[in-house]
Amino acid sequence: MTAVAYLLSGMLVWGGIGWLVDHWVGTRGIFAGLGAVLGMAGGVYLIVRRLGA
């Protein structure tokens, strides 16, 4: 359950930050998509680092 929480929270937080950047810059979903991908990568990193999976 912890692994799923890391993945979802990373996607939501960094995707949300990307969404805000999209609105600030005036683009449509580019930074939100990049943020979600980076959030997933960060979640995988935390899973490997903390849970040793």
Side-chain angles (χ1 to χ4, degrees):
M1 213 48 199
T2 304
V4 173
Y6 282 146
L7 287 175
L8 287 178
S9 62
M11 277 180 40
L12 290 174
V13 169
W14 288 104
I17 291 170
W19 180 77
L20 289 173
V21 171
D22 276 331
H23 279 283
W24 182 53
V25 175
T27 57
R28 292 186 177 206
I30 293 171
F31 291 105
L34 286 174
V37 170
L38 288 176
M40 281 182 60
V44 169
Y45 172 76
L46 285 176
I47 291 168
V48 170
R49 178 95 168 134
R50 295 193 181 189
L51 302 178

